[in-house]
Amino acid sequence: MSALLVTTQADLDKALADGHTDLIVGTARPNDALLQIRHDRLVKLWGSSRAVLRGSSRAVLRDSSSAVLRESSHAELWGSSSAVLWDSSSAELRGSSHAVLRESSSAVLWESSSAALCESSHAMLTKFTSAHVWSQ
């Protein structure tokens, strides 16, 4: 099943009402898509998209996208994406991505990514990565 392209709020509302589960939200030019929502609950964001993930959701963030993750959600961050993780959420950061980890969240950092950790969070660092740790 291929993803359905929706370019307006009306298109999105109709697609959801019709039961479509694989959607691309963006412009009429497929390479300009900003958001892809798949049937397996994976969401992909491009450009400067923003999202809030809840309830064990998963996302891939690219370019300068940002997200807030809650309730054991997971994200892969690429480029200069950023995220704030809560409630035991986890992330894998690549490129120059950065994250703030709270409430027992965790992250794996690659390349020149960075993280700020607090409240029992932890990170695995590879070369060229950095973490700032503090307690409140």
Side-chain angles (χ1 to χ4, degrees), residues 26-96:
T27 68
R29 297 179 298 206
N31 291 339
D32 291 342
L34 299 177
L35 171 68
Q36 180 180 7
I37 306 166
R38 295 184 353 181
H39 66 280
D40 60 359
R41 296 179 51 174
L42 176 67
V43 175
K44 294 183 179 182
L45 297 96
W46 289 270
S48 56
S49 302
R50 296 180 351 177
V52 176
L53 286 72
R54 294 184 181 273
S56 302
S57 299
R58 297 182 303 135
V60 176
L61 288 71
R62 296 195 180 270
D63 302 324
S64 57
S65 298
S66 63
V68 175
L69 286 71
R70 295 189 175 271
E71 301 162 6
S72 301
S73 294
H74 176 78
E76 288 180 33
L77 286 69
W78 294 81
S80 57
S81 296
S82 62
V84 178
L85 287 70
W86 296 85
D87 310 320
S88 300
S89 292
S90 63
E92 187 165 335
L93 287 69
R94 296 188 179 270
S96 58

Side-chain angles (χ1 to χ4, degrees), residues 2 12 67 83 91 95 101 105 118:
S2 64
L12 177 59
L101 286 66
S105 294
C118 65

